[in-house]
Amino acid sequence: MLATIALSLLSVAAPPVARADDPPIRLRLSEESYSRGDRAKVKVRAADDGYLLVLRVDGDGRVRVLYPQRPDEEGSITGGKEFEVRSRGDREAFVVDENSGSGAVLAAWSD
């Protein structure tokens, strides 16, 4: 009963300093696989200042916006700094609520 979170458009480990060959965005999860009830932390690092969108697709195919939390928020982040996506109530980004299957966490960045 594991819900595996696949990473897309990113690498698992964020380097301590930006390099010229770094991708424009890196996303990292607190674990490689999760069980029902686990709380997942999501951290993002962009090379430059810009705007961030983070989505989660659960094991049933439902898509949820993790960041920004509200449609009226602009979702800006500071480049070169690791940013932790938090849910309402300043908790971890999401709680795994499916019994089986796999999901994905996707991040998009724009200047």
Side-chain angles (χ1 to χ4, degrees), residues 1-3 34-36 98-100:
M1 297 190 339
L2 293 178
Y34 295 92
S35 297
R36 183 176 176 85
E98 56 264 49
N99 287 319
S100 64

Side-chain angles (χ1 to χ4, degrees), residues 4-109:
T4 303
I5 306 301
L7 302 179
S8 178
L9 305 173
L10 45 99
S11 175
V12 175
V17 295
R19 298 184 335 226
D21 60 344
D22 277 347
I25 187 169
R26 288 185 183 268
L27 185 141
R28 160 172 92 88
L29 301 176
S30 53
E31 304 293 331
E32 287 188 26
S33 63
Y34 295 92
S35 297
R36 183 176 176 85
D38 286 349
R39 297 182 178 273
K41 291 184 179 182
V42 177
K43 295 184 179 182
V44 180
R45 181 176 176 199
D48 298 308
D49 293 356
Y51 299 92
L52 179 67
L53 174 67
V54 180
L55 304 172
R56 174 179 180 238
V57 181
D58 68 16
D60 297 321
R62 291 182 300 250
V63 178
R64 187 171 70 116
V65 176
L66 297 179
Y67 185 83
Q69 289 181 7
R70 297 187 332 254
D72 61 339
E73 292 178 329
E74 66 179 28
S76 63
I77 61 169
T78 303
K81 293 184 179 180
E82 189 168 74
F83 172 79
E84 183 173 352
V85 175
R86 305 289 290 179
S87 67
R88 287 178 172 77
D90 199 34
R91 296 185 182 103
E92 290 83 0
F94 64 92
V95 176
V96 176
D97 56 0
E98 56 264 49
N99 287 319
S100 64
S102 62
V105 176
L106 308 169
W109 172 90

